[in-house]
Amino acid sequence: MTAPAAIPMAADTQRYLLLGRLGYWGLWLLIPLWQIWLSPVSYGDDQALKPSLLSTLLLLWLPLWLPMWGIIKGHAYTFAWANFIVMLYFLHSLTNLWVSTGSYFWFSLLELLLACLMFYGCTYYARNRGKELGLKIPKLKDDPVRRN
């Protein structure tokens, strides 16, 4: 069996890999910069309800650490399931776009653009690279386990 790295990658697949990685690394850098330095969220004066910066950062940044190794290595399977993680950033950015103003609005817009870039790149990279490697999900009609 041929090693996945030995199988050549088409130009389109390389472009999708680049787009997925740009979106991923953009989000990976944006979240801590935004939440710590550029425009930290203000929770008001009530200290009892105020979450810590660490908990906010963990909720927003920790999920991006999960697919890092597979994104670096270019594993098609990781790119496919990373799309589930990017949905968190779609929801976060769309919610903030609805309720925010000023710099928070613009950082939310940037987050949405990076999430879209990551989603698009990851989706098509996983599909194209999976085809190149011969990985596929069998069609239901071809499943030998399925009984009619």
Side-chain angles (χ1 to χ4, degrees), residues 9-82:
M9 192 181 303
D12 280 348
T13 306
Q14 289 177 354
R15 272 194 297 279
Y16 294 130
L17 174 63
L18 178 63
L19 291 176
R21 284 178 173 168
L22 283 174
Y24 171 79
W25 289 111
L27 283 171
W28 196 87
L29 290 171
L30 174 67
I31 297 301
L33 289 174
W34 173 12
Q35 298 299 322
I36 296 172
W37 295 288
L38 299 174
S39 186
V41 66
S42 173
Y43 293 103
D45 294 332
D46 189 359
Q47 293 298 320
L49 298 175
K50 186 175 183 178
S52 71
L53 175 64
L54 180 61
S55 62
T56 303
L57 195 57
L58 281 175
L59 285 171
L60 289 174
W61 202 34
L62 184 63
L64 285 171
W65 286 81
L66 299 175
M68 183 185 287
W69 185 249
I71 298 271
I72 291 169
K73 291 294 205 174
H75 296 156
Y77 185 77
T78 304
F79 277 77
W81 67 257

Side-chain angles (χ1 to χ4, degrees), residues 1-10 13 76-77 125-139:
M1 184 169 161
T2 308
I7 296 173
M9 192 181 303
T13 306
Y77 185 77
Y125 173 74
R127 186 180 113 199
N128 290 359
R129 190 62 179 156
K131 285 179 182 178
E132 292 169 359
L133 297 174
L135 307 173
K136 64 179 180 178
I137 298 173
K139 293 180 181 174

